[in-house]
Amino acid sequence: MRVAKRVAAVAAGLAVTVLATAGLSGCAPVQSGPAATGTDQQTGQLRVWLFDEVNRGPKEAVVKEAVTEFQNAHQGVTVDVQYIQVQSRAERFKAAFSDPKSAPDVAEFGNTDLAGYVSGGGFAELDLSSWAEAKDLLPTVADTGKVDGKTYGVPWYVGIRALYYRTDVFTELGLKPPTKLDEIAPLARQIRAAKPDLLGISAGGKYTYAAMPFVWANGGDIAREDGGKYVSTIDSTESKAGLRQYTELISDDICPPAQCAGNGGDASVEAFRAGKAAMVIGGDFNRKSVDASTAAGKYAVVPVPGTTAGSIAPAFAGGNLLGVMKGSERKTLANQFLQLLGGKQYQRKMFDAMGNMPTFGDVQNDLAKANPVVEPFIKTLNAGTKFVPVTPNWAKIDAQAVLPTLLQEVAAAGNDLDTAAKKAADAMNAAFSS
Amino acid sequence: MMRATKGDGRIAFAYLTPALLLLVGLLGYPIYQLVLISLFDYGQEQVSGGVPLTFLGLENYANLLADAKFWSVLGQTVGFAAVCVIGTLVVGAALAVLATRVRTWARLTLFLAALGAWATPAVAGSTIWLFLFDANFGFVNEVLGTTGFSWTYDRWVAFGLVAAQVIWCSFPFVMVTLYAGIKAIPGEVLEAAALDGASALRTARSVMLPLLRPLLIVVTIQSIIWDFKVFTQIYIMTNGGGIAGRNLVLNVYAYQQAFAASEYGLGASIGVVTTVLLLLVTLGYLRALKKSGETL
């Protein structure tokens, strides 16, 4: 027992010592920063990080083309492209911010991560004034690359979600796609009643970006800005109306909680691909994979309808940005490469290769003419999009799964919507104010 | 016993110095950093130098202890760990006894199977179990004829499944250790007991169990520490803590709240609290043994 006492005493002593020294002297945890180097070399190796994809081949081919073009135009410059996993991006970027030596010069990243990365000191402000193509960037999309009015990222592509539905099932049952938001649930119920093997609509309990259009269409929002700070409005009457409409979909007569409550976006779309769902909210980026599934040729897409007939529910303006790292020693080259890869020519190539929706208005219009399939997505985009709060704290709220927990508590755990929404709002406000 | 003189102490200390230095470097310094970080507002902004550090004192701890979710997760973790520890010990001990009683080929098969489970990495093991228990395509549902039943949806079914997986991959250690222990009991002792007319039950209780006690202590403490710190199985099998986080255990909760959200200060305080709790549990356990008359 003496051993135990001694261990306890040592532990207590250690705690007191650390507390005392940390409080009194300058003893503190390590800090390291991507100090701007000030150098701007014109030759050498330019390092680029792009996201890995399920089917990376076509993306890699387009990027290789851009790299070759860039290397031919710049003597003595090589471009090293690395593909990083989306799943572990947070760790990779955090490490890159802390150790500039292992950081890239140019990187692709998700637009919801932007605010966190900028406050982490990771990305440099971009000056697009001398870039002629920049003026054609869609303003709402360009805003997703800005923090406090300053541009840190060029939108490389935009991800817009719309409603996929099975034309064969709808024809067989004599149904028409929904024209109002509150028609989705009855329609889905009717389909499942007629075809018990099908999910009326594949609605995931973790699929935040499918749920948010319901909230936005009803006039609600995640948060509002109030004097430079965000305040959550997820528990407002309007938001709750939207949440109620969405969570209603996750029920036994539409999309049983046991099957659907744990699903995020990918799993929700997967059910549609497998031919097990009559409807799903899916992105333009899912189109190619649906075309390669059992649902191919048997589906059509319409914008997610708003609360009144003919209106469109605001969609989430997802997508990826290209940015230049703050610690880059080749700022000029990095900017030039970014403008090449993020420019009109290569965005068009990326659309052909991957189906990624371009961010330039004129390029989009051209594509819509040639590819009617992208029309519902472009319509949705033009009807106005919404975004998550632009604050570094959003990454925290995202990581703590505040919104998915809210949806799941109501849809699966049988909790009261008012209580669950209040709890989510409190969690968000705590994060906003930290 | 010889009394140690002062000179002996100094020499002993000199011999121990290298080990001590190693321990301080590998164990002491990280713990020191952990405690230190837990006293600061230390997020990604602070790590990469964008924002100055703020000393919070015990605020991270105060926030943590005031969080109702922390307590419910802690309770859940203790319950889950208890079930896993008991399950592991019972299965491990039962199979160890079985191994001493069966023929060589049966024992060999048992050991190979157990070692297979033991050697499987937690990530792979969890994923394979998920495949086996898949709602639509899983082997188990196929055999039971319950296709479509989700094993990871209901809170208790999900916990049960994860507990079974944890027991599956941790019983071999207990089994192998106890088997070695049983085999090391001198045959004369058992013979003597038999000559005195002791029944098998009596021999087990009064002869084997006391001799196995030191080993049992080790495997119990190990199991408590392992099962209290379970991360992989819960994270993978319940997809990050189950529906609405109802299958969270402390480690996954700490990861989600603190590390994924870059709140390293808060995360460090959860780490410190976990360490202290485990230390207390271990000390309490040792003390209970001491009271029951066991020398350590």
Side-chain angles (χ1 to χ4, degrees):
Chain A
M1 205 54 244
R2 261 181 300 152
V3 180
K5 273 204 188 118
R6 221 176 291 156
V7 169
V10 168
L14 183 71
V16 171
T17 321
V18 174
L19 244 172
T21 48
L24 297 175
S25 66
C27 175
V30 198
Q31 282 189 298
S32 66
T37 49
T39 55
D40 187 11
Q41 300 177 34
Q42 302 301 322
T43 54
Q45 193 183 59
L46 195 67
R47 283 176 298 183
V48 180
W49 279 9
L50 301 175
F51 284 142
D52 199 0
E53 315 267 348
V54 180
N55 177 17
R56 195 179 83 194
K59 177 177 183 171
E60 207 171 345
V62 174
V63 172
K64 270 209 181 106
E65 209 183 318
V67 167
T68 314
E69 184 179 333
F70 192 76
Q71 286 176 347
N72 289 343
H74 296 85
Q75 280 297 313
V77 177
T78 55
V79 181
D80 171 52
V81 181
Q82 270 192 46
Y83 290 90
I84 65 167
Q85 299 295 325
V86 180
Q87 287 298 323
S88 58
R89 67 184 190 282
E91 287 76 18
R92 294 295 300 267
F93 274 108
K94 281 174 195 173
F97 298 162
S98 307
D99 175 24
K101 288 226 172 350
S102 67
D105 299 292
V106 178
E108 173 187 5
F109 57 102
N111 56 13
T112 55
D113 289 333
L114 174 72
Y117 288 173
V118 168
S119 83
F123 283 92
E125 197 187 335
L126 299 174
D127 179 18
L128 302 179
S129 58
S130 60
W131 188 29
E133 292 183 351
K135 67 174 182 356
D136 290 327
L137 284 169
L138 287 166
T140 48
V141 179
D143 281 348
T144 65
K146 290 180 186 168
V147 177
D148 296 331
K150 293 179 186 163
T151 300
Y152 293 92
V154 169
W156 196 21
Y157 66 84
V158 58
I160 293 290
R161 291 174 179 83
L163 186 72
Y164 286 62
Y165 69 95
R166 285 276 294 276
T167 44
D168 56 337
V169 175
F170 274 63
T171 317
E172 190 191 328
L173 300 176
L175 301 172
K176 286 212 154 54
T179 56
K180 279 162 64 185
L181 205 53
D182 58 9
E183 287 175 14
I184 295 181
L187 200 57
R189 208 169 278 131
Q190 198 184 337
I191 296 169
R192 188 165 169 81
K195 291 181 168 289
D197 288 347
L198 283 183
L199 302 173
I201 178 169
S202 174
K206 281 176 135 180
Y207 195 0
T208 318
Y209 299 131
M212 286 321 292
F214 286 74
V215 172
W216 286 323
N218 279 285
D221 206 345
I222 299 172
R224 74 184 145 79
E225 211 174 348
D226 189 18
K229 274 225 152 163
Y230 278 98
V231 180
S232 177
T233 53
I234 199 70
D235 59 344
S236 70
T237 319
E238 294 84 8
S239 298
K240 282 192 280 197
L243 290 169
R244 190 168 291 122
Q245 260 178 352
Y246 184 76
T247 49
E248 190 193 340
L249 302 176
I250 308 174
S251 56
D252 284 333
D253 54 358
I254 296 178
C255 195
Q259 276 178 61
C260 304
N263 290 351
D266 289 343
S268 300
V269 173
E270 198 49 47
F272 186 81
R273 291 188 68 224
K276 288 185 178 169
M279 291 187 273
V280 72
I281 292 175
D284 55 82
F285 41 86
N286 293 126
R287 210 169 40 80
K288 289 228 162 189
S289 78
V290 174
D291 279 336
S293 75
T294 52
K298 293 188 287 193
Y299 77 96
V301 183
V302 289
V304 177
T307 46
T308 55
S311 66
I312 294 177
F316 165 69
N320 285 358
L321 307 170
L322 291 172
V324 172
M325 299 285 283
K326 210 175 194 172
S328 167
E329 294 180 348
R330 295 175 178 79
K331 282 255 165 62
T332 308
L333 285 173
N335 271 293
Q336 285 167 345
F337 184 74
L338 182 152
Q339 289 172 13
L340 177 76
L341 191 62
K344 289 180 185 177
Q345 183 199 356
Y346 278 96
Q347 284 207 5
R348 227 178 243 131
K349 290 187 184 195
M350 282 299 287
F351 173 82
D352 293 335
M354 302 292 291
N356 290 353
M357 182 86 76
T359 56
F360 295 101
D362 53 334
V363 179
Q364 263 188 14
N365 289 338
D366 291 352
L367 292 177
K369 273 178 213 142
N371 305 276
V373 281
V374 300
E375 201 199 305
F377 300 106
I378 291 181
K379 254 194 193 162
T380 306
L381 187 63
N382 292 336
T385 53
K386 295 264 190 181
F387 200 55
V388 297
V390 184
T391 151
N393 296 321
W394 180 253
K396 217 168 284 173
I397 294 168
D398 204 22
Q400 292 173 349
V402 174
L403 285 174
T405 303
L406 164 59
L407 295 175
Q408 291 180 331
E409 280 188 345
V410 177
N415 291 15
D416 174 51
L417 174 61
D418 292 333
T419 324
K422 175 79 172 58
K423 210 176 96 189
D426 288 346
M428 279 189 215
N429 287 336
F432 286 143
S433 64
S434 71
Chain B
M1 197 199 264
M2 264 207 328
R3 258 192 92 77
T5 64
K6 238 184 177 163
D8 281 344
R10 235 176 264 144
I11 291 167
F13 189 76
Y15 277 127
L16 287 174
T17 306
L20 197 67
L21 281 177
L22 209 65
L23 275 179
V24 167
L26 292 180
L27 212 63
Y29 182 71
I31 290 181
Y32 164 75
Q33 278 288 340
L34 189 75
V35 176
L36 189 63
I37 288 172
S38 74
L39 303 175
F40 282 85
D41 178 11
Y42 195 58
Q44 186 57 43
E45 292 90 334
Q46 283 81 10
V47 176
S48 42
V51 176
L53 282 166
T54 350
F55 179 73
L56 293 179
L58 296 174
E59 208 178 302
N60 280 327
Y61 293 94
N63 288 341
L64 185 66
L65 299 182
D67 184 3
K69 182 91 183 169
F70 167 74
W71 290 105
S72 75
V73 171
L74 180 64
Q76 223 156 266
T77 311
V78 170
F80 179 74
V83 170
C84 291
V85 169
I86 294 169
T88 308
L89 288 177
V90 168
V91 174
L95 290 179
V97 172
L98 182 72
T100 58
R101 308 255 164 124
V102 294
R103 277 178 224 189
T104 317
W105 69 264
R107 186 167 61 241
L108 206 65
T109 318
L110 181 65
F111 268 80
L112 281 177
L115 289 177
W118 197 3
T120 309
V123 176
S126 307
T127 314
I128 291 167
W129 272 61
L130 266 191
F131 285 154
L132 286 174
F133 284 86
D134 187 90
N136 294 311
F137 311 108
F139 175 73
V140 174
N141 274 349
E142 192 100 328
V143 170
L144 296 178
T146 51
T147 300
F149 177 76
S150 171
W151 290 85
T152 51
Y153 177 67
D154 181 79
R155 181 186 203 161
W156 304 114
V157 175
F159 262 137
L161 181 67
V162 179
Q165 205 280 344
V166 171
I167 292 170
W168 172 78
C169 69
S170 44
F171 88 83
F173 169 72
V174 176
M175 186 187 92
V176 171
T177 312
L178 291 185
Y179 174 77
I182 294 172
K183 277 291 177 196
I185 295 174
E188 296 90 334
V189 178
L190 297 176
E191 228 167 79
L195 283 176
D196 289 343
S199 66
L201 201 68
R202 178 83 195 179
T203 315
R205 206 164 41 127
S206 305
V207 180
M208 289 169 75
L209 217 52
L211 285 170
L212 286 177
R213 198 147 188 162
L215 276 181
L216 277 171
I217 294 171
V218 171
V219 294
T220 310
I221 292 181
Q222 289 259 31
S223 295
I224 292 175
I225 292 176
W226 281 343
D227 295 343
F228 198 80
K229 296 197 303 182
V230 159
F231 177 87
T232 318
Q233 285 88 348
I234 288 278
Y235 192 76
I236 292 182
M237 295 179 70
T238 69
N239 199 358
I243 306 296
R246 58 190 177 193
N247 292 107
L248 281 173
V249 292
L250 207 53
N251 248 351
V252 179
Y253 178 69
Y255 174 77
Q256 186 194 65
Q257 294 294 310
F259 291 103
S262 299
E263 288 262 21
Y264 305 126
L266 180 67
S269 65
I270 300 181
V272 171
V273 169
T274 315
T275 311
V276 170
L277 277 176
L278 280 173
L279 216 60
L280 287 179
V281 170
T282 313
L283 288 182
Y285 180 69
L286 291 179
R287 186 179 193 156
L289 284 174
K290 171 101 178 166
K291 269 204 182 132
S292 68
E294 187 64 37
T295 49
L296 295 177

